[in-house]
Amino acid sequence: MPAKTLPFDRTLIDRIAADHPTPFVIYHEDGIRKRARDLNAAFAWNEGFQQYFAVKATPNPHIVAMLAEEGSGADCSSVAELITCRRLGITGHDVMFTSNNTTLEEFEIANDLGAIINLDTPHHIEQLQQLDHLPEMVSFRFNPGPERQGNVIIGDPKEAKFGCTREQIFEGYAKCAEIGITRFGLHAMVVSNELNVDALLQTAEMLFDLAIQIHERTGVKVECINLGGGIGVAYRPEQSEIDLQAFGSGVQSLYESKLVPAGLAPVRLMMENGRAMTGPYGFLISKVINQKSSYKNYVGVDACMSNLMRPGMYGAYHHISVLGKTSEPESQLVDVVGSLCENNDKFAIDRHLPETEVGDIVVIHDAGAHGHSMGFQYNGRLRSAELIFNDAGEFRQIRRAETFDDYFATVDFSSVPVLART
Ligand SMILES: *Cc1c(COP(=O)(O)O)cnc(C)c1O
């Protein structure tokens, strides 16, 4: 199997690990910034193009702020994510609120921030009317149902709880215009972790056609079209990253062949990528703490599913490198496991790795999105620290590891009756 390159060497990790016990996640600042710039460059042809970072992927405020420095807005779907924006000073149309199964309170918080409100259903228009002022800009999330396939991560669109039908879209825009909303966007999020440019272009084409139909049917002209997120991560070494330039120019051709002749241009394009912005630039650093053989061979590491649940949850592949041994032959076949009392607490099943020994540092690649953010405390395994480093070899901690005090913070032991033992 071809190797995946690491943007750091053993020296850096040894320097960090001297003060920061494993496991921890470390993000590569230059990688994240470059990805943000590359995406903006691919859409430089579109005046006002805006990427909104899907905060749920990596909700660390340092990362959200760093991406904001690169011109990114924030795509939020929960109150905590909106509060993150508020505390970072990300407000107004730099915030996109794309929620589902939403409460009035959530709309209030988003609207107070001045966010673009991306409605999951026309039923929510009623809630908008209860706000103390109407949102300046509203968009709807289109779900194409049986017209599109989706993929494993996001599911089959017609089975997906997200978004509304074509008829609901027409009804929604007409109704919003009627109650006095004046600025509109349009949105869909149909694929996730997609490495095929054509699948992403299909979403653009579908939305451009729909924008034209919305104009014909309701008279509403959308001023922005949000292509959603979904740019994939090349998790496997044999996969290649998506060609952002090719994607950007593919969208440009569709824009010119559809929106321009329909008289709808200029339209600002938007995206709300999460995974692609940070996924490849985060590494879960863990240490081999045990090795055992029973019916299979196991390498036990000090990270577990609570640091990265994608392999356990969807059988997702994450490449694993043994630091300092990347050029050695992959002579053992192992499962790489954590310590949870759950048999799906495995980072890899039947993986070929170089010979390992206790104390080796194991690097789990592409853990920068949906890694720490999906962390949980089951079995009393706590969430790790997050750090960031740059190409100059500087590093800093951007979130400390949880402690047992954090774990017990929500319980008042003094209210627990003292056990009577005889
Ligand atoms: C998760 C999510 C995204 C980001 O998806 P990626 O596949 O990480 O790019 C964008 N929009 C919405 C509404 C989401 O829920």
Side-chain angles (χ1 to χ4, degrees), residues 2-19:
K4 266 191 165 237
T5 54
L6 289 169
F8 49 76
D9 58 17
R10 171 126 217 174
T11 332
L12 179 75
I13 299 302
D14 285 345
R15 266 168 58 215
I16 298 171
D19 295 318

Side-chain angles (χ1 to χ4, degrees), residues 384-404:
S384 78
E386 292 178 289
L387 291 97
I388 192 161
F389 76 101
N390 64 22
D391 286 342
E394 297 157 337
F395 61 87
R396 67 200 160 96
Q397 180 168 286
I398 56 174
R399 188 194 299 271
R400 68 164 171 81
E402 288 174 345
T403 64
F404 290 116

Side-chain angles (χ1 to χ4, degrees), residues 54 56-57 75 98 141 187 189 191-193 228-231 272-276 370:
K56 71 172 192 277
D75 180 53
T98 308
R141 177 173 188 163
H187 168 254
M189 168 82 199
V191 292
S192 187
N193 196 23
I231 295 177
E272 45 185 38
N273 292 289
R275 175 195 312 279
H370 309 128

